[in-house]
Amino acid sequence: MQQEIRPLLAVDIIEQLHRQFALLSGGRGNDGAPIITFPEYSGFSEVPEEDFLNVVTYLTSIPSLDAASIGFIIIIDRRKDKWSSVKASLSRIAGAFPGNLQLVLVLRPSRFFQRAIADIGIKLHKDDFKMKIVMLNSLSDLHGYVDKGQLTRELGGSLEYCHSQWIHHRTAIENFAMTVKTTAQMLQKFGTDLAEMELPNDIQCTKDLLTAHTNKHNNLKDELKLALKQGTTLLGCIKEQAAKSENHKLNPDEMENQTTVERLLAQLDETENAFEQFWCKHHLKLEQCLQLRHFEQDFREVKVSLDSLWESLTSLSVIGDCLARVEQLLKDLKTLEEKPTLEKAQLHALHGDQLIQSNHYAVDSIRPKCVELRRVCDDFSNEAKKKTDVLSKSLQIHTGIEKWCESGIYLLASQAVDKCQTQEGAESALTDIEHFLESAEKTLCLQISVLKALKRLEDVQEMFEKRHVSLKRLSAKQTRPVQPVAPRPESSPKRPSLKNPTRTTGSQQRQFDKRSHSFLFFCLFFCRHIMTELIETERLYVEELQSIMEVQNLSHLTPPSLENKRDVLFGNLPEIYDFHNKTFLRELEDCIEKPELVGTCFLKRKEELQVYEKYCQNKPRSEVLWRQCGDSVFFQECQKKLDHKLSLDAYLLKPVQRIHQIPTHEMLKCSKSEGTAELEEALATMLDIIKSVNDSMHQIAITGFEGNLSELGKLLMQGSFNVWTDHKKGHSKVKDLARFKPMQRHLFLYDKMLLFCKKREETTDGHEKTPSYSFKHSLKMSAVGITENVKGDNKKFEVWYNSREVVYIIQAPSMDVKNMWVSEIRKVLTGQLEACRGTHTHTHAHTHLSPNTKIGCVQHTEGGFPVYSYGHAVLEREQFPDSALGAKESQAYVLSTVKDDSKMC
């Protein structure tokens, strides 16, 4: 990597500057040319060539570019020296001066003999120096070329100059500039580290990260304050010179120093403001991350409590064999309802709502958890209410029976045996018993109702047992379905002639009806067979999910390496299990007798089935964690303890396999007309979910995109293509290179934007390659056009931007892929155009659009320019290059600017 070339600084040549064999006093010529003075210096000839070159190079780099472009004036003071010294000085300057020389003024030796030699020498060697040289006899001659106010006191001028102070100011300014640069680099690196940082998944790590970043931010703030203080102090020192006296003015170099320091201070202030804005956003995100981790942990704790509460509720019986048992069951039920778990769940859901209202970045993660908590609370309340109603009725029955029995026993006990020995006493006791038995009519009616209900239960159970035996007999036969064919009689004395039209007799109609019924029975049988298979596989799937959930419950065996990473390993598997176990399996079982209703079942649960998209998005992270920890004793112990036939990673793959194996298309093949539309829609729904899952797996691998992907609308298509770019403006060689050398790009088409990414595949730890997509650039769909056909290759199409200023030629791997993409892009653009049409109709009711007018489509051409029509308005013309519109059948869709008073689309 090429190292950065650092400019020469005063600190690098501080010793050479202190020798003072050359200096930049700040004076200027009449035209503003900077003056460099070479004062009398006895050891000038002994100065090394490198030191001379460094000092002169540094001095010429100080004035502004405008001043340096005028040219430098050099004053060489050799009044006390010899001609040999003059000649050596001129030779050095002519051979090594790095700047633009305007004039060289030489104060010649003052002694008569050396002056004469100098006059002769300059005449002989003037052409050798190739500079404009003026030999001066005295300071008064020098004042004729340079104003006294621009010369130091040593040269008879009035310009105040202190060489040591000049070195001190230069060193301070350059140190401050270096401090500003270093500080900016530190802030940039810190910002880059923050932008590339992955948010932690547990509370403690988030707290540690927030503390570390806050300390780093505070340290950088201190660095900024020190730099600002350093610059402010330096600026005050420079201004202090100007305030020494009313007549004192800063020379041009000093004014440039002041301007430089002020510019650096402004730059530092802008850097600080930008850094603070970035830090506020990052700090807010970290705080929201900490809130999210607390919310997730509290959610898990509340969910465990709710599950335990639900398990207690479902295990609570509603059958009591006595009054005391029923009263105890009601008391237990009331105790469950009074537990604070439900209140905690509702408060946690309310807390989630507050996070959503505060524009939390993880709304998509928080909202489902709030919905889940409220759903579980509602389910608990409904189930508790049902059990309360049943137990209350049971209590009422038991209370009535208990009172009647107690009254009867009291009546029997109160009848004295000796009184019943007489006829009168017996008749009285008999009357009491008959009256008491009459009061038992209500109890007898209840007994009859209970007996009827039990008989109904036995009848339904018997029906199921018969169906169970019948189905087992059918499944054991393993017969192959045969297409029913009408039998052909061996002798047909009155077969109709082929020439005569066919007539349907009563016998033929009966045979047709039999075949129809046979075919319908076959379809019904096979459809029910598929339905039975679907339910059986669903039950097996739920059992497998439950076995995975049992691994989660073995928290006491969890090793430290998996602490706080259970959500990464299992994803939203609990959510999938609850949905299938409590909802979907039961609804499928309700469809066993009417398989045609299964389509409605899938459509009704379309939103809940989206949980698989989240699970599949997390699957790569889960696999990485499994590869890191799969060999641990924990998983081996779990497999042994739960009697799993396969390792855990095989079970974690079950949801991915399940979403691809639901046989809705097989049921559609053999379904009757009833429910076919729902099955077709259900099949389309499942295919759309599978496509969304696959697309989202690619979408989460996008890196480098600074925006929010969720704001781009629905992801419609994604795939890899060869891409050429053609720029209307640009160097011809670059255009040719872009035309003939394709780029491999992976495109993502959203409702609002088209992303171009570069696919990269990385192999980790010897496992299969995992793709990632590095974001390159994007196009807003509201400003693109498309050319469907490109001359020379039927697999190419064009997407262009900004009036075809930039054209992207895209080559699909096949014609089918190209047609699908062109169709989808056309739908997006047509939708935008229809929106424009609607807006135009709403705002300009007086404008009528022709039925044949297509907004934004090529209508006709004039002189090679396509004209786009919008009602009575004419849109701007754009010239198409030959490569883009080579065939007559090419169609282009464009959104352009209306030239008249119509609304802009």
Side-chain angles (χ1 to χ4, degrees):
M1 182 177 177
Q2 187 177 1
Q3 294 184 350
E4 181 183 2
I5 300 177
R6 186 174 66 84
L8 198 62
L9 302 178
V11 70
D12 299 329
I13 54 172
I14 192 72
E15 294 182 3
Q16 293 90 323
L17 289 174
H18 276 296
R19 294 181 190 174
Q20 202 172 346
F21 60 81
L23 54 89
L24 185 72
S25 61
R28 292 288 190 271
N30 296 331
D31 56 356
I35 298 174
I36 295 179
T37 304
F38 288 87
E40 290 183 292
Y41 185 73
S42 58
F44 185 79
S45 59
E46 298 175 0
V47 175
E49 190 66 28
E50 183 180 358
D51 292 353
F52 174 81
L53 181 60
N54 286 340
V55 171
V56 174
T57 301
Y58 177 71
L59 294 179
T60 55
S61 67
I62 294 175
S64 65
L65 293 176
D66 292 337
S69 63
I70 299 173
F72 287 87
I73 297 176
I74 292 180
I75 300 176
I76 303 175
D77 186 4
R78 292 295 181 264
R79 289 175 290 175
K80 299 180 180 179
D81 220 327
K82 302 177 182 179
W83 159 246
S84 59
S85 177
V86 175
K87 181 180 178 182
S89 300
L90 292 173
S91 298
R92 273 197 167 186
I93 294 171
F97 192 79
N100 179 24
L101 265 177
Q102 181 188 118
L103 179 64
V104 178
L105 301 175
V106 181
L107 286 169
R108 71 180 74 190
S110 58
R111 286 176 292 179
F112 177 77
F113 180 71
Q114 291 298 328
R115 181 179 295 184
I117 295 176
D119 291 339
I120 297 172
I122 197 64
K123 291 179 181 180
L124 293 175
H125 299 283
K126 188 173 185 179
D127 294 338
D128 297 338
F129 299 132
K130 295 181 181 180
M131 300 182 296
K132 184 178 180 181
I133 301 172
V134 178
M135 303 296 290
L136 304 174
N137 293 325
S138 62
L139 293 177
S140 58
D141 293 343
L142 176 62
H143 298 161
Y145 288 92
V146 180
D147 185 79
K148 288 184 179 182
Q150 302 299 323
L151 297 174
T152 61
R153 297 184 184 279
E154 290 78 9
L155 298 176
S158 59
L159 179 66
E160 294 184 2
Y161 176 75
C162 176
H163 190 62
S164 59
Q165 187 181 37
W166 181 88
I167 293 175
H168 175 72
H169 280 178
R170 289 304 308 170
T171 305
I173 292 171
E174 290 169 359
N175 284 341
F176 178 57
M178 186 61 66
T179 300
V180 172
K181 181 180 179 181
T182 304
T183 304
Q185 290 175 344
M186 290 168 56
L187 295 178
Q188 183 179 7
K189 184 179 184 305
F190 183 55
T192 303
D193 293 341
L194 297 187
E196 295 177 352
M197 175 209 65
E198 184 176 355
L199 295 176
N201 293 319
D202 60 275
I203 294 176
Q204 191 57 47
C205 289
T206 306
K207 286 182 177 179
D208 295 343
L209 189 65
L210 181 59
T211 302
H213 284 188
T214 303
N215 292 337
K216 182 69 173 177
H217 165 261
N218 294 336
N219 293 337
L220 289 173
K221 282 285 291 182
D222 293 340
E223 295 286 343
L224 276 169
K225 289 179 181 178
L226 289 175
L228 285 170
K229 183 178 181 181
Q230 178 185 354
T232 305
T233 304
L234 180 58
L235 183 62
C237 293
I238 296 174
K239 289 183 176 180
E240 186 179 352
Q241 282 186 290
K244 287 182 178 178
S245 63
E246 295 181 358
N247 297 329
H248 181 78
K249 294 183 179 179
L250 297 176
N251 62 51
D253 286 347
E254 291 173 337
M255 292 179 64
E256 286 180 7
N257 290 343
Q258 180 177 333
T259 303
T260 299
V261 175
E262 290 174 344
R263 176 176 53 80
L264 290 173
L265 283 171
Q267 179 183 344
L268 203 58
D269 187 60
E270 292 176 2
T271 302
E272 182 184 19
N273 292 335
F275 175 68
E276 279 303 308
Q277 292 177 4
F278 174 78
W279 168 251
C280 289
K281 293 179 181 179
H282 176 73
H283 188 259
L284 175 62
K285 190 169 185 178
L286 282 180
E287 287 183 334
Q288 289 184 343
C289 178
L290 185 59
Q291 293 172 351
L292 177 63
R293 300 302 173 235
H294 278 295
F295 177 81
E296 291 174 341
Q297 179 173 316
D298 294 343
F299 171 79
R300 288 190 291 270
E301 293 175 356
V302 171
K303 189 66 169 59
V304 169
S305 301
L306 282 176
D307 292 342
S308 175
L309 191 65
W310 176 261
E311 186 176 353
S312 300
L313 178 64
T314 54
S315 62
L316 186 69
S317 176
V318 292
I319 301 174
D321 54 0
C322 63
L323 179 61
R325 175 61 178 161
V326 175
E327 289 177 342
Q328 184 60 42
L329 288 174
L330 280 171
K331 184 177 180 181
D332 293 344
L333 182 58
K334 187 176 181 181
T335 302
L336 288 178
E337 290 179 314
E338 291 177 350
K339 283 191 174 182
T341 304
L342 290 177
E343 184 179 358
K344 286 182 180 179
Q346 294 289 0
L347 289 175
H348 195 59
L350 183 62
H351 177 54
D353 293 338
Q354 293 172 350
L355 293 178
I356 293 173
Q357 292 173 2
S358 65
N359 296 324
H360 198 284
Y361 72 87
V363 171
D364 294 338
S365 174
I366 297 172
R367 183 176 284 114
K369 292 180 173 62
C370 297
V371 173
E372 173 68 10
L373 289 177
R374 290 193 172 97
R375 183 191 65 78
V376 174
C377 290
D378 292 342
D379 290 347
F380 180 89
S381 300
N382 294 334
E383 186 67 18
K385 185 177 184 302
K386 291 178 183 178
K387 293 201 171 190
T388 301
D389 293 341
V390 173
L391 287 173
S392 298
K393 291 178 181 178
S394 178
L395 179 64
Q396 183 180 358
I397 293 171
H398 277 284
T399 302
I401 293 174
E402 189 72 17
K403 286 182 179 179
W404 186 81
C405 292
E406 287 179 356
S407 299
I409 293 172
Y410 177 78
L411 177 63
L412 293 174
S414 63
Q415 289 179 340
V417 178
D418 54 346
K419 292 183 180 181
C420 295
Q421 300 299 322
T422 64
Q423 181 179 1
E424 183 180 355
E427 288 178 352
S428 176
L430 183 61
T431 302
D432 293 339
I433 290 175
E434 288 175 350
H435 283 307
F436 183 79
L437 290 175
E438 287 176 359
S439 69
E441 289 182 359
K442 294 182 180 179
T443 308
L444 292 175
C445 291
L446 177 64
Q447 182 180 1
I448 293 171
S449 300
V450 171
L451 290 175
K452 286 183 179 179
L454 291 174
K455 182 64 171 64
R456 174 65 174 164
L457 181 64
E458 290 176 358
D459 291 342
V460 173
Q461 186 174 359
E462 183 180 0
M463 291 168 59
F464 269 85
E465 289 175 352
K466 290 180 179 179
R467 177 64 57 85
H468 182 263
V469 172
S470 177
L471 290 175
K472 291 199 78 172
R473 190 185 305 117
L474 287 173
S475 63
K477 287 182 180 180
Q478 297 181 352
T479 56
R480 183 175 61 182
V482 179
Q483 177 69 34
V485 180
R488 187 181 66 182
E490 295 184 1
S491 59
S492 299
K494 295 182 180 181
R495 291 181 66 182
S497 172
L498 293 174
K499 296 180 181 179
N500 297 330
T502 305
R503 295 178 61 188
T504 305
T505 64
S507 175
Q508 290 172 334
Q509 182 65 42
R510 285 192 295 272
Q511 290 176 3
F512 177 79
D513 292 342
K514 287 180 181 179
R515 290 196 299 269
S516 299
H517 287 307
S518 298
F519 180 73
L520 289 177
F521 176 78
F522 165 74
C523 290
L524 180 61
F525 170 77
F526 193 67
C527 194
R528 286 186 175 177
H529 172 70
I530 297 174
M531 189 68 215
T532 303
E533 180 185 355
L534 176 60
I535 293 175
E536 289 301 322
T537 56
E538 181 70 8
R539 288 171 180 162
L540 180 60
Y541 176 55
V542 170
E543 290 175 3
E544 290 172 339
L545 291 181
Q546 185 179 6
S547 68
I548 306 175
M549 300 300 295
E550 290 173 359
V551 174
Q552 278 195 302
N553 294 333
L554 300 176
S555 57
H556 60 285
L557 299 176
T558 305
S561 59
L562 286 177
E563 284 292 339
N564 303 319
K565 293 183 180 179
R566 298 161 67 87
D567 287 351
V568 177
L569 183 62
F570 295 96
N572 62 329
L573 198 66
E575 189 177 3
I576 295 175
Y577 170 71
D578 287 344
F579 166 67
H580 282 272
N581 184 44
K582 298 177 182 178
T583 304
F584 199 61
L585 176 59
R586 297 177 184 178
E587 292 181 354
L588 289 179
E589 290 173 339
D590 292 338
C591 299
I592 185 65
E593 290 299 322
K594 292 186 177 181
E596 62 271 14
L597 298 180
V598 71
T600 306
C601 179
F602 277 93
L603 294 177
K604 186 170 67 173
R605 298 301 172 187
K606 177 180 178 180
E607 296 297 328
E608 287 89 335
L609 287 169
Q610 298 293 333
V611 295
Y612 280 94
E613 183 172 342
K614 182 178 178 181
Y615 183 85
C616 293
Q617 287 178 353
N618 180 69
K619 195 66 177 66
R621 298 173 61 204
S622 175
E623 290 175 352
V624 171
L625 185 59
W626 168 257
R627 289 198 292 267
Q628 294 173 354
C629 308
D631 295 330
S632 66
V633 180
F634 166 72
F635 293 112
Q636 297 173 7
E637 193 66 26
C638 290
Q639 185 174 354
K640 185 186 304 181
K641 191 176 184 66
L642 300 175
D643 195 24
H644 284 181
K645 297 179 180 179
L646 303 174
S647 58
L648 180 62
D649 61 330
Y651 283 89
L652 292 176
L653 194 61
K654 295 290 182 180
V656 181
Q657 297 170 338
R658 181 62 179 171
I659 195 64
H660 290 81
Q661 293 174 350
I662 298 178
T664 51
H665 60 288
E666 295 181 10
M667 297 190 69
L668 182 62
K669 290 179 182 178
C670 57
S671 64
K672 299 180 290 182
S673 59
E674 183 180 0
T676 302
E678 288 80 5
L679 274 175
E680 289 178 345
E681 191 173 352
L683 176 59
T685 297
M686 294 306 301
L687 293 176
D688 187 57
I689 290 174
I690 293 172
K691 179 180 179 297
S692 297
V693 167
N694 292 335
D695 289 347
S696 67
M697 294 291 286
H698 291 273
Q699 177 179 269
I700 61 174
I702 297 176
T703 60
F705 183 73
E706 296 182 355
N708 189 348
L709 291 174
S710 61
E711 296 177 358
L712 305 184
K714 183 180 179 182
L715 176 59
L716 304 173
M717 304 283 286
Q718 55 84 22
S720 296
F721 299 84
N722 288 333
V723 179
W724 292 262
T725 57
D726 190 2
H727 297 263
K728 185 179 293 185
K729 296 180 181 180
H731 197 276
S732 59
K733 289 185 178 180
V734 176
K735 293 176 68 178
D736 291 341
L737 181 62
R739 187 184 298 271
F740 293 108
K741 186 177 181 181
M743 297 176 290
Q744 302 295 322
R745 290 291 182 263
H746 200 91
L747 273 57
F748 293 84
L749 176 63
Y750 293 84
D751 284 326
K752 299 180 181 179
M753 192 169 287
L754 178 62
L755 302 187
F756 289 75
C757 300
K758 185 174 182 180
K759 185 176 181 181
R760 307 179 188 276
E761 293 186 339
E762 301 174 357
T763 304
T764 56
D765 299 332
H767 292 270
E768 60 187 18
K769 294 182 177 179
T770 56
S772 64
Y773 303 97
S774 177
F775 170 76
K776 293 301 181 183
H777 59 276
S778 60
L779 304 177
K780 290 184 178 179
M781 294 304 294
S782 59
V784 296
I786 179 176
T787 305
E788 295 185 9
N789 298 310
V790 177
K791 187 176 181 180
D793 192 340
N794 57 8
K795 292 187 293 185
K796 288 182 180 178
F797 62 99
E798 291 181 344
V799 174
W800 33 274
Y801 202 56
N802 285 345
S803 305
R804 297 190 63 84
E805 185 124 324
V806 182
V807 179
Y808 298 90
I809 305 169
I810 302 172
Q811 183 186 50
S814 66
M815 276 293 295
D816 292 339
V817 174
K818 172 200 167 179
N819 291 336
M820 285 191 293
W821 273 75
V822 168
S823 174
E824 203 64 41
I825 295 175
R826 190 192 303 124
K827 288 180 184 177
V828 175
L829 298 183
T830 302
Q832 295 174 358
L833 297 174
E834 290 298 331
C836 285
R837 189 195 299 267
T839 304
H840 186 275
T841 304
H842 179 72
T843 55
H844 295 275
H846 64 277
T847 304
H848 302 284
L849 296 178
S850 170
N852 298 323
T853 301
K854 296 181 180 178
I855 303 175
C857 298
V858 175
Q859 301 298 313
H860 63 280
T861 59
E862 295 178 2
F865 293 88
V867 178
Y868 308 94
S869 298
Y870 188 128
H872 300 296
V874 179
L875 305 189
E876 64 180 341
R877 303 176 177 182
E878 299 175 356
Q879 187 172 11
F880 284 31
D882 295 338
S883 62
L885 199 62
K888 293 182 179 179
E889 65 271 19
S890 297
Q891 295 178 340
Y893 293 81
V894 65
L895 293 175
S896 191
T897 306
V898 183
K899 284 187 175 179
D900 69 352
D901 295 332
S902 301
K903 289 286 183 181
M904 187 178 76
C905 295

